[in-house]
């Protein structure tokens, strides 16, 4: 009887060893995968709440963490929270017209808008594109920015504040498009300041200003003085 028990134990042990050889690696891989997912989830919770978050859908146009790498789309990273809230409400209410952002913004609750704004505001910004402006164009843009006192509202390093956006390092194409929109009245600044300023710029001026601002490093000290 005892011999039969011992033989049975040996058979069971051999089976366990065999299963371990067959599936042990898969089991360990599964444990590693679960651990990785858990760590990712913990990071997401710390960063902006449990996954998925509304900002996940923003990546297609605005880039990972809101850092656009396409000069046509604005970077949201490092933008002032109040500015992001105001613009999302403007898109939702139709004060700022956009065939894509309008429908998206209207689907967001006030709480989601606040959460998105807080998330993107705390992301580290970077240049949206590598800009190699001609020396003459850059000098013209820098002179125009100084003459129009853009730093008075957008800050000494053009990082924005309150409901005024960060311009430093934004894509040149996006900046130029917005200046044209303010110039034509397609986009309206509640204070009227941007519309009045843009109206005084020629097409060449707009390209120079956009190129200069796009060449700046966000948070850097290269908002160069004449």
């Amino acid at each position: 009887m005892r011999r039969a028990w011992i033989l049975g134990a040996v058979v069971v042990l051999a089976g366990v060893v065999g299963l371990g050889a067959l599936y042990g690696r898969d089991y360990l891989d599964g444990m590693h995968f679960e651990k990785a997912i858990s760590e990712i989830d913990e990071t997401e919770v710390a960063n902006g709440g449990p996954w998925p978050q509304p900002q996940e859908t923003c990546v297609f146009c605005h880039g990972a963490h809101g850092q656009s790498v396409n000069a046509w789309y604005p970077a949201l990273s490092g933008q002032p929270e109040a500015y992001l809230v105001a613009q999302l409400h403007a898109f939702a209410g139709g004060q700022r017209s956009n065939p894509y952002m309008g429908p998206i913004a209207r689907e967001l609750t006030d709480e989601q808008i606040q959460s998105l704004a807080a998330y993107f505001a705390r992301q580290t910004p970077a240049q949206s594109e590598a800009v190699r402006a001609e020396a003459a164009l850059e000098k013209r843009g820098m002179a125009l920015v100084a003459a129009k006192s853009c730093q008075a509202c957008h800050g000494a390093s053009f990082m924005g504040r309150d409901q005024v956006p960060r311009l430093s390092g934004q894509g040149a194409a996006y900046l130029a498009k917005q200046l044209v929109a303010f110039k034509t009245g397609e986009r309206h600044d509640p204070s009227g300041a941007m519309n009045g300023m843009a109206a005084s710029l020629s097409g060449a001026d707009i390209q120079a200003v956009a190129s200069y601002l796009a060449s700046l490093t966000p948070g850097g000290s290269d908002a160069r003085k004449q």
Side-chain angles (χ1 to χ4, degrees):
M1 180 73 177
R2 184 176 179 182
R3 185 177 180 182
W5 182 86
I6 293 173
L7 286 173
V10 169
V11 170
V12 170
L13 181 59
V16 169
V17 172
L19 287 172
L22 287 173
Y23 302 109
R25 183 176 295 277
D26 290 341
Y27 177 72
L28 288 174
D29 287 346
M31 289 181 64
H32 291 154
F33 177 76
E34 287 187 14
K35 182 180 179 182
I37 291 298
S38 176
E39 289 175 353
I40 290 172
D41 186 60
E42 289 172 3
T43 300
E44 289 291 341
V45 169
N47 199 29
W51 189 89
Q53 286 285 301
Q55 68 264 17
E56 300 296 334
T57 62
C58 304
V59 68
F60 297 107
C61 293
H62 298 287
H65 305 290
Q67 181 49 57
S68 175
V69 292
N70 186 322
W72 282 101
Y73 298 107
L76 307 180
S77 57
Q79 286 286 5
E81 184 176 335
Y83 171 75
L84 293 172
V85 168
Q87 296 310 303
L88 284 170
H89 280 302
F91 281 125
Q95 290 84 15
R96 187 173 175 185
S97 179
N98 184 282
Y100 303 108
M101 284 305 304
I104 291 173
R106 284 191 287 274
E107 290 296 317
L108 298 172
T109 64
D110 288 347
E111 186 176 56
Q112 287 175 319
I113 286 177
Q114 193 66 52
S115 177
L116 280 170
Y119 172 83
F120 287 120
R122 65 172 176 262
Q123 305 306 309
T124 303
Q127 254 186 313
S128 293
E129 59 178 331
V131 177
R132 296 181 179 83
E134 297 176 7
L137 185 66
E138 183 175 336
K139 185 177 180 180
R140 179 177 182 174
M142 184 165 51
L144 284 164
V145 162
K148 302 299 180 182
S149 301
C150 299
Q151 290 167 309
C153 294
H154 293 277
S157 56
F158 301 102
M159 290 299 291
R161 58 191 173 202
D162 301 324
Q163 292 194 26
V164 180
R166 164 173 79 83
L167 304 179
S168 178
Q170 284 283 17
Y174 173 76
L175 290 170
K177 182 180 179 182
Q178 299 313 303
L179 285 170
V180 169
F182 280 122
K183 180 181 175 70
T184 62
E186 177 187 343
R187 185 174 174 185
H188 178 66
D189 173 15
S191 71
M194 281 303 303
N195 295 97
M197 187 279 292
S200 68
L201 298 176
S202 68
D205 289 341
I206 286 174
Q207 292 303 318
V209 168
S211 182
Y212 168 68
L213 293 172
S215 74
L216 302 179
T217 300
S221 57
D222 52 350
R224 297 173 288 281
K225 297 179 181 179
Q226 300 185 75

